Amino acid sequence: ARAALVSYGEPVVDSLAFFLRDADEDIWVRRHIPGTLAQIPTQKTMDVLAAALEERDGFIRYKVVSALERLRREHPELTLEGESIERLAIQEARRYFNFLSLHDNLFGKGKLNADSLLSQALLEQMTRLRNRVFKLLTLLYPPTDIDAARWTLEHGDSRARSSASEYLDNILSSPLRKQVLPVLEDMPRDERVRRGNTLLKTRPRDVEETLLQLINDDDPVTASAAIDVVRENKLWNLADDVEHVLAHRDVKDWYVFEAASWTLAEQRMPAERRRELWLEPLPAAELAGRLRRLPLFASVSVVEVSRMTRASRQVRHEAGSVLGQEG
């Protein structure tokens, strides 16, 4: 389908732009459109993609940025208005610091289990946001220079990393230097957390206050993992808030509904009794947490393993059932 659409060239760009921005279109159709547009190298394509940078869905934003990056590298003659790119880079940097602060509240100061699904989900969110910031910088500055600075920051010795930070400090605009550079440069975690809280004008918060924010996060995987932390740590002061999420969350967020139902069931009856009565498949957050403890799935991202659990079929066996026999 992509090859057929690309064969139409520029005349199909308007139609693709319409479906990319159509909130009623299937989300996975929309997420594949930027990759199609990236294969139609025209100025109109650049303008359409730039207009889509404000999309609420993080995956669409990532695909849009990747498409713009490809066009920028392969067709430098195409132009891009820098103000919206700079604004998005600052927005993504602030989101990075928000997740860093929340992670530190729970798994640093809060001493919760750092191997939990939520901890990994937040760390992966931060990795994706940092990657996206670098991609955005390649749209504003020579891509090869940004690539070199990134490689040095991630692989160079201390002296080389210092030089790369100094280079970025010299070329970035004042707003980017203030709010984006602390995401990229090498510094101790405690210092990065402190810098982030200063930029966001926020403060360290306790475990319950932090989880209250996360169970209402727009990302269903993050929200469901946060609800599972409430269950795992029996933080029943948040039970009414989980009940509120169950009543008011968008019906499309099935991960969240499963996790909330599972958590409230545990609050209301003993775990053994719940296991006897629970006939539905295990919620994605619970199953994803179990799967990621297996070596086979240890390297799979939280988002992907969650999708795998949604796509899978769970089968229950009575105790003592023979699942396989030699020969």
Side-chain angles (χ1 to χ4, degrees):
R2 173 171 287 166
L5 289 166
V6 169
S7 71
Y8 284 97
E10 187 170 348
V12 82
V13 170
D14 287 334
S15 297
L16 291 172
F18 172 81
F19 288 108
L20 174 61
R21 306 305 301 274
D22 182 8
D24 294 327
E25 182 54 75
D26 180 272
I27 189 66
W28 281 102
V29 171
R30 297 175 65 204
R31 287 169 174 173
H32 281 294
I33 289 174
T36 304
L37 286 167
Q39 298 182 38
I40 307 174
T42 69
Q43 187 58 49
K44 177 183 279 191
T45 301
M46 291 287 275
D47 297 340
V48 164
L49 289 168
L53 286 170
E54 302 297 330
E55 278 294 330
R56 183 175 178 182
D57 181 74
F59 204 159
I60 290 179
R61 287 201 309 275
Y62 171 75
K63 290 292 189 179
V64 168
V65 172
S66 296
L68 285 168
E69 182 189 24
R70 175 176 174 175
L71 288 169
R72 161 96 162 132
R73 289 178 183 273
E74 296 179 357
H75 301 277
E77 72 279 3
L78 300 177
T79 60
L80 191 60
E81 189 272 313
E83 186 176 337
S84 61
I85 304 298
E86 187 168 299
R87 186 167 59 247
L88 181 57
I90 292 171
Q91 175 186 314
E92 301 292 52
R94 292 177 69 84
R95 292 182 69 234
Y96 171 95
F97 280 123
N98 180 54
F99 285 127
L100 175 64
S101 179
L102 295 173
H103 189 278
D104 189 66
N105 291 343
L106 296 176
F107 307 105
K109 299 177 182 67
K111 308 295 184 185
L112 296 185
N113 176 17
D115 291 329
S116 72
L117 194 70
L118 178 60
S119 174
Q120 296 305 309
L122 293 176
L123 291 174
E124 288 173 11
Q125 289 262 34
M126 290 156 55
T127 299
R128 287 195 293 271
L129 286 165
R130 187 173 185 272
N131 180 54
R132 204 173 299 165
V133 167
F134 271 118
K135 284 179 173 290
L136 288 164
L137 292 182
T138 66
L139 303 178
L140 295 169
Y141 303 98
T144 53
D145 291 352
I146 298 299
D147 291 344
R150 178 176 186 174
W151 190 94
T152 304
L153 286 168
E154 294 177 352
H155 303 285
D157 58 28
S158 59
R159 183 175 179 179
R161 293 197 302 272
S162 177
S163 295
S165 293
E166 184 178 353
Y167 167 74
L168 291 174
D169 186 65
N170 287 330
I171 67 166
L172 297 184
S173 67
S174 178
L176 292 176
R177 191 182 309 121
K178 179 182 178 181
Q179 302 205 51
V180 172
L181 188 56
V183 173
L184 310 179
E185 61 186 353
D186 183 43
M187 69 174 70
R189 177 185 169 90
D190 289 347
E191 172 65 13
R192 201 188 303 275
V193 171
R194 189 190 65 76
R195 293 273 293 273
N197 285 336
T198 300
L199 286 171
L200 297 178
K201 295 182 171 60
T202 188
R203 57 176 174 79
R205 302 177 188 276
D206 63 26
V207 167
E208 290 190 358
E209 194 176 359
T210 302
L211 286 172
L212 179 59
Q213 179 176 337
L214 286 167
I215 66 176
N216 290 285
D217 195 87
D218 288 341
D219 177 56
V221 173
T222 300
S224 61
I227 291 170
D228 203 52
V229 169
V230 172
R231 177 196 63 79
E232 186 177 358
N233 293 277
K234 297 182 170 29
L235 300 172
W236 302 132
N237 287 339
L238 292 171
D240 288 345
D241 300 293
V242 174
E243 188 90 55
H244 183 270
V245 169
L246 187 63
H248 296 91
R249 189 80 182 198
D250 189 313
V251 294
K252 296 178 182 177
D253 290 342
W254 188 246
Y255 294 136
V256 181
F257 281 108
E258 288 181 322
S261 299
W262 179 255
T263 295
L264 292 171
E266 177 151 331
Q267 183 210 9
R268 291 164 184 166
M269 67 182 73
E272 291 299 324
R273 182 62 176 155
R274 188 181 84 253
R275 278 193 282 269
E276 290 176 9
L277 297 177
W278 190 271
L279 300 178
E280 298 298 321
L282 290 171
E286 171 71 9
L287 191 56
R290 296 186 188 189
L291 287 178
R292 289 194 84 256
R293 288 195 288 271
L294 300 174
L296 179 63
F297 296 98
S299 63
V300 182
S301 74
V302 171
V303 171
E304 293 297 342
V305 80
S306 296
R307 287 184 191 140
M308 289 164 60
T309 62
R310 279 297 283 137
S312 66
R313 181 171 62 91
Q314 295 180 42
V315 179
R316 290 176 181 269
H317 301 281
E318 294 297 325
S321 301
V322 176
L323 303 185
Q325 187 170 336
E326 185 179 2

